[in-house]
Amino acid sequence: MLALVEDRPTPKAVYNWRVYTAAAIASFASCMIGYDSAFIGTTLALDSFSDEFKFKEMSADHLALVKANIVSVYQAGAFFGSFGAYASSYYLGRRKSLLIWVTVFILGAGLMLGANGQRGLGLIIGGRVLAGLGVGGASNMVPIYISELAPPAVRGRLVGIYELGWQLGGLVGFWINYGLTQTMAPSHKQWLIPFAIQLVPAGCLLLGALWIKESPRWLFAKGKREQALKNLCWIRNLPADDLYIVEEVAAIDAQIEHDRIHVGAGFWKPFAALKQRKVLWRFFLGGMLFLWQNGSGINAINYYSPTVFKSIGITGTSTGFLTTGIFGVVKCVVTVIWLLYLIDRLGRRKLLMVGAAGGSFCMWFIGAYIKVANAGTGKNTGGLSSGGIAAIFFFYLWTAFYTPSWNGTPWVINSEMFSQNTRSLGQASAAANNWFWNFIISRFTPQMFLTMGYGVYFFFASLMILSIPFVYFLIPETKSIPLERMDELFEIKPVSKAHGELMQKLRDEEAEFRHDVEGAGLTMEKTKNEERVEDIV
C-alpha cells in the first residue's frame, strides 16, 4: 500500500523521520484553520452564546446577517493574510513567516476571549479578523514549505499531512460543543471554552517553528548556499557528496538560473512574469481549483452544519451537534486513507474527477429528498423517515467522495505546480482564491438557505459536475514530477498524456546523468549546472 513511484533511484535515508516531523509541525497551522472553521458554526448554535448576545430578540434576516458577519470576517482577513505572507516569505523566509503569522493568530484568538454580553460582538469580530490574517498567511506558507522539503515520491503524502491537520482540527471543532452541551450547563464559560482551544495548536506551531529548518530551496534562491546545503543534507539525512544530493542541488541551481533568465530576480519580478501567458495560465488554474472546491458546498457545511442538518430534518441542538461530529469523524478517517494511499498512487486528476461525479450525485439526491419530503420546514415533526435516513446516508457518502478529492488535492497541486521564483506568489494567489470563495460561500449561505431551500443542494451539485471537464482538459497529473520540471509538464499537450511522457523523459535523463557522473563528488555540481544553463540559453 505504501509503495512509492519514484522519478529516480532514491536512497532509503531520504524518507526519514526529519522530513515527516517538519511537515507535521508546520501542519499545526492547518489544525488552527480546521478547528476555527469547524467550531464556529456549532458555537453560534449554543444556547449560552445565543442568550448572552440576545440572538432570540433578532429577526430571522438580522440574525442571518449577524451570523454571516461573524463567520465571514475571518475569511476576509485570511484573504489579505495570504498576500501578506508573500512579502514576509520573500524577505524573511518560510520559517520566520510561520512565526509571524501564528503570532498574529494568537493575538486574534486572545482578543476574542474578552467578549461578553456587555461589550457586544465587537471583540469577537475584531479577533476573527486578526485570526483570519494569521491563518491566511499560514495557508500560504505551509504547503510551500512542505513541498520544498519533500522528496517527489512522497510530496503528495507530506502535503497531505497539512490536510490531515486540517481534519484533525476540524474533528475537535465539530465535537467540542457536543461534549460541552452534555457535560456543562449553559453559561459564559461554556461558549468561551471553544474560543480558548484555538490557542492550543497555535502554541504548538509557535514552539515547533523554533525547531524546524528553513527551506533549502529558498536559501539557494537567496544565495545562502552554505546554509542551504547544510539544511538539505540534514533533511535528506545524506552527506553532501552523495550523488542524490549532487543531482538535487544541480537541478535546483538550474531551475533558479532558468527563473532568473525568464522571470527575473526581485520582489516585483513575479508580478511582471504574469504578463507571460504560460505563467498567468497556471495562476488561473490554481485559482479555479478553489472555486470548484468551494463550489462543492463544503464550507457551507463546515460553517453552518446545524443549519444544513436542520434542512434535512435533524431537530434538536444536541442531535444536530452529534450528527455534525460524525461528519467530522468520516472526514478525518477518509483523509488518512487519502494521504497514505490515494494521493500518490491514484494521482490528483483521477481523484478530482471521481470525487466530483460521486459528490454531485449525492447532492442531487439530498436536494430531491428535501423537496419531496418538505424536510426542515417544521411540518415534519415525527422524526426522520426512511427517506430522511437515506438522505443522511447520502450526506456521509458525499463526505466520503469529497474528502479524498476536492478537500485537500487542490492544495497539493498548488503547492507543486509553480516554478521557484513564482511559487510564493502563486501560492499566495491560490490561498487568496480559496479564502475569497470561502468568504462568498460563508457570507451568503444563511441567505441562500432562507431563499433557495433545497435548491442550494442542486446549485452545489451542478458546480461539481462542471468541474469534471475542467480537470480533464486543463489539469495535468503532477504526482512524482520534480518541482524543477513543472514548467515542462504544463507545456506538453494533450494534458491527459503529459504525465506519462514527462515521466519517461525523466527516466531516460536519469540513466544518462548517472552514467555521465558515476563516481563523481560534489565538485561535479557546478559543471553540471553550467551545462544545463547553457542548454536553457
Side-chain angles (χ1 to χ4, degrees), residues 315-511:
T315 57
T317 302
S318 180
T319 305
F321 286 2
L322 177 61
T323 313
T324 299
I326 296 172
F327 165 64
V329 172
V330 173
K331 286 181 69 182
C332 197
V333 171
V334 177
T335 298
V336 173
I337 299 171
W338 169 76
L339 77 90
L340 287 180
Y341 181 72
L342 298 176
I343 187 66
D344 282 323
R345 289 292 297 276
L346 293 184
R348 291 52 158 159
R349 275 166 53 88
K350 290 179 182 177
L351 285 174
L352 291 176
M353 289 187 287
V354 171
S360 178
F361 173 76
C362 295
M363 282 286 188
W364 285 113
F365 181 92
I366 295 169
Y369 162 73
I370 295 171
K371 167 63 176 174
V372 172
N374 217 15
T377 61
K379 299 177 182 178
N380 241 355
T381 58
L384 279 177
S385 64
S386 58
I389 295 171
I392 294 295
F393 168 78
F394 272 96
F395 175 80
Y396 289 130
L397 183 61
W398 174 87
T399 306
F401 274 114
Y402 169 83
T403 302
S405 55
W406 285 96
N407 208 38
T409 305
W411 289 104
V412 174
I413 295 174
N414 272 282
S415 73
E416 60 194 5
M417 66 189 283
F418 299 103
S419 63
Q420 177 67 36
N421 272 25
T422 60
R423 186 171 298 127
S424 185
L425 181 60
Q427 185 64 27
S429 171
N433 268 278
N434 169 69
W435 294 113
F436 173 76
W437 297 115
N438 203 314
F439 168 80
I440 295 297
I441 295 296
S442 64
R443 176 63 181 78
F444 296 107
T445 289
Q447 290 86 347
M448 288 172 69
F449 273 106
L450 281 175
T451 57
M452 295 173 65
Y454 67 88
V456 174
Y457 296 94
F458 292 164
F459 173 74
F460 290 137
S462 300
L463 289 178
M464 292 189 84
I465 285 291
L466 291 174
S467 71
I468 297 175
F470 173 85
V471 172
Y472 182 81
F473 290 108
L474 302 179
I475 303 294
E477 181 55 66
T478 56
K479 70 171 182 177
S480 302
I481 303 294
L483 295 180
E484 292 74 29
R485 307 302 289 270
M486 288 294 171
D487 287 349
E488 293 177 55
L489 178 70
F490 279 85
E491 290 175 359
I492 300 174
K493 299 294 183 288
V495 164
S496 59
K497 296 181 179 180
H499 180 265
E501 289 186 20
L502 185 53
M503 285 299 290
Q504 185 57 52
K505 182 179 180 181
L506 288 170
R507 294 187 190 101
D508 294 342
E509 289 181 358
E510 171 63 22

Side-chain angles (χ1 to χ4, degrees), residues 181-369:
T181 58
Q182 299 300 305
T183 59
M184 183 180 292
S187 63
H188 175 78
K189 184 178 179 180
Q190 186 194 50
W191 68 260
L192 203 63
I193 289 174
F195 281 96
I197 295 296
Q198 297 176 94
L199 294 169
V200 175
C204 292
L205 176 59
L206 186 65
L207 294 176
L210 299 174
W211 175 81
I212 59 177
K213 304 290 185 182
E214 180 56 80
S215 163
R217 281 178 167 81
W218 182 85
L219 290 168
F220 275 118
K222 295 299 181 181
K224 301 177 180 180
R225 300 187 61 81
E226 183 177 347
Q227 187 61 47
L229 184 59
K230 182 179 178 181
N231 285 11
L232 183 62
C233 292
W234 182 86
I235 291 164
R236 297 287 181 258
N237 199 25
L238 293 171
D241 59 355
D242 187 274
L243 185 57
Y244 187 89
I245 296 291
V246 173
E247 187 175 11
E248 185 165 12
V249 171
I252 292 171
D253 282 342
Q255 179 63 45
I256 290 172
E257 189 62 28
H258 176 273
D259 286 344
R260 283 176 178 163
I261 294 170
H262 294 280
V263 176
F267 181 86
W268 296 107
K269 290 297 184 181
F271 290 93
L274 294 176
K275 296 177 182 178
Q276 301 176 33
R277 291 184 62 184
K278 63 181 181 180
V279 175
L280 185 61
W281 177 245
R282 258 181 278 179
F283 276 67
F284 168 75
L285 294 178
M288 286 296 293
L289 284 172
F290 285 108
L291 165 62
W292 301 122
Q293 183 205 59
N294 284 276
S296 68
I298 181 59
N299 286 307
I301 297 166
N302 276 346
Y303 297 123
Y304 301 102
S305 49
T307 302
V308 171
F309 286 115
K310 182 180 178 182
S311 75
I312 297 175
I314 298 291
T315 57
T317 302
S318 180
T319 305
F321 286 2
L322 177 61
T323 313
T324 299
I326 296 172
F327 165 64
V329 172
V330 173
K331 286 181 69 182
C332 197
V333 171
V334 177
T335 298
V336 173
I337 299 171
W338 169 76
L339 77 90
L340 287 180
Y341 181 72
L342 298 176
I343 187 66
D344 282 323
R345 289 292 297 276
L346 293 184
R348 291 52 158 159
R349 275 166 53 88
K350 290 179 182 177
L351 285 174
L352 291 176
M353 289 187 287
V354 171
S360 178
F361 173 76
C362 295
M363 282 286 188
W364 285 113
F365 181 92
I366 295 169
Y369 162 73

